[in-house]
């Protein structure tokens, strides 16, 4: 195993532990999120994004990692978002929570995991078709908020932190 694989495994296990400790693997939390009645999962995701934004930007600025992302393709985002939402609604799990629930011993989550594997295989088989149709829709290239706004990544991060903290305060006020 390479160092990257070992670090990936450690990171995955730690993230799974945090998913379990945050109780976001529970069906009632998943259902509450889908019904917009319980914001535990959204709070967990946004907290993870906040920490990740700072960590990745620090590592990139230090030259430890090279920061890059995939092109912003409207077709891929629309299709992927629809499939993600439909899968979450049908199975009651998103990809991370399905693997976490399986690791927690809830065997019904295997269907969600198998669905992801089947979906990935189907996408690979249909890729030539998608490349000339859905993936040919508007492609904005490799852009992110700093590139679009012309702001420093740190300004974008600070704005995202301020917005997220404001949202969390609103959730608490509403009892969500």
């Amino acid at each position: 195993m390479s160092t990257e694989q070992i670090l990936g495994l450690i990171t995955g296990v730690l993230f799974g532990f945090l998913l379990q400790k945050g109780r976001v693997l529970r069906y009632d939390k998943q259902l509450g999120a889908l019904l917009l009645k319980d914001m535990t999962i959204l709070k967990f995701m946004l907290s993870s994004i906040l920490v990740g934004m700072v960590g990745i930007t620090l590592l990139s600025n230090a030259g430890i990692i090279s920061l890059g992302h995939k092109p912003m393709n409207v077709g891929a985002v629309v299709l992927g978002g629809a499939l993600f939402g439909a899968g979450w609604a049908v199975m009651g799990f998103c990809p991370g929570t399905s693997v976490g629930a399986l690791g927690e011993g809830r065997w019904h989550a295997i269907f969600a995991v198998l669905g992801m594997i089947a979906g990935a295989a189907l996408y690979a088989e249909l890729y030539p078709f998608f490349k000339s149709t859905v993936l040919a829709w508007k492609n904005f290239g490799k852009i992110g908020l700093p590139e679009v706004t012309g702001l420093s990544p740190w300004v974008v991060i600070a704005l995202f932190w301020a917005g997220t903290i404001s949202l969390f305060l609103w959730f608490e006020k509403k009892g969500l």
Side-chain angles (χ1 to χ4, degrees):
M1 266 188 142
S2 71
T3 303
E4 287 178 345
Q5 290 172 323
I6 292 169
L7 290 174
L9 178 63
I10 291 169
T11 303
V13 169
L14 287 173
F15 188 67
F17 173 78
L18 292 173
L19 285 171
Q20 200 278 331
K21 291 304 278 182
R23 300 187 49 80
V24 297
L25 302 175
R26 312 306 307 166
Y27 177 75
D28 59 318
K29 298 293 181 187
Q30 297 287 326
L31 184 60
L34 290 170
L35 296 174
L36 302 175
K37 293 182 177 182
D38 185 340
M39 297 296 121
T40 302
I41 292 175
L42 184 60
K43 290 176 191 175
F44 185 90
M45 290 183 341
L46 287 172
S47 298
S48 299
I49 291 168
L50 291 174
V51 171
M53 289 172 80
V54 171
I56 288 171
T57 303
L58 283 173
L59 291 171
S60 177
N61 288 350
I64 297 171
I65 63 169
S66 175
L67 188 59
H69 47 274
K70 292 183 177 190
M72 192 341 223
N73 178 288
V74 174
V77 170
V78 169
L79 181 62
L83 289 171
F84 179 90
W88 190 10
V90 169
M91 293 306 303
F93 295 109
C94 70
T97 57
S98 63
V99 174
L102 187 61
E104 200 175 53
R106 288 191 269 129
W107 292 103
H108 62 280
I110 191 70
F111 297 107
V113 173
L114 291 173
M116 289 187 294
I117 294 168
L122 184 62
Y123 177 79
E125 283 298 314
L126 294 176
Y127 183 76
F129 169 75
F130 287 140
K131 190 172 181 181
S132 63
T133 57
V134 176
L135 298 178
W137 297 354
K138 184 65 179 163
N139 186 340
F140 289 97
K142 294 185 176 192
I143 60 169
L145 286 175
E147 292 85 7
V148 170
T149 61
L151 298 172
S152 158
W154 290 109
V155 172
V156 172
I157 290 169
L159 291 171
F160 196 80
W161 271 80
T164 301
I165 290 169
S166 298
L167 185 63
F168 284 4
L169 291 171
W170 184 77
F171 285 161
E172 290 305 312
K173 183 178 176 183
K174 295 292 183 180
L176 299 171

